[in-house]
Amino acid sequence: MTFLIKFIARIAINAIVLYISKVYFPGFVLNAGLETLLAGALVLTILNIFVAPILRLVATPLLWLTFGIFGIVINILLLWFADKFLTQLTITDLSTLFWVSIMVAIANALF
């Protein structure tokens, strides 16, 4: 039961981060309405729960060599995967991708 509650909480947190990113970053375009926002949050949550640990395991030597800074690259890759998977989500430039991935990483570190 606690997994389901944490899963729903992570979806809500990611939806909030995506909405804030949509409002404050002009290079972050999320078309349509609430359904798209929730779909994007769901995809991002699934990527962070299932794909991120695998990427971190594979990149463990790089994480050690860079004292964890390579984790930013992993978060950028996850957000880029979400961008490629969702047709309604468009990230136009690298700086927007970097800052939004930092926001998503901080939000997902809470849970």
Side-chain angles (χ1 to χ4, degrees), residues 38-50:
L38 290 176
L42 179 66
V43 167
L44 206 52
T45 301
I46 289 172
L47 285 173
N48 278 314
I49 288 176
F50 297 112

Side-chain angles (χ1 to χ4, degrees), residues 2 7 9 11-13 24 26 47 52 58 61 64 66 89 92 98 105 108:
T2 59
F7 186 71
I11 291 172
I13 295 273
Y24 289 110
L47 285 173
V58 170
W64 286 347
T66 62
L89 175 63
T92 59
F98 174 77
N108 283 309

Side-chain angles (χ1 to χ4, degrees), residues 46-111:
I46 289 172
L47 285 173
N48 278 314
I49 288 176
F50 297 112
V51 178
I54 296 169
L55 288 176
R56 283 187 179 84
L57 180 67
V58 170
T60 299
L62 287 173
L63 286 167
W64 286 347
L65 286 174
T66 62
F67 299 109
I69 304 252
F70 192 74
I72 295 171
V73 175
I74 292 172
N75 290 324
I76 288 173
L77 281 173
L78 292 174
L79 194 60
W80 183 72
F81 287 151
D83 179 27
K84 294 302 174 192
F85 184 72
L86 295 168
T87 58
Q88 299 91 354
L89 175 63
T90 305
I91 302 172
T92 59
D93 56 349
L94 189 59
S95 66
T96 302
L97 182 65
F98 174 77
W99 290 111
V100 173
S101 70
I102 294 292
M103 289 173 51
V104 168
I106 290 170
N108 283 309
L110 297 174
F111 286 95

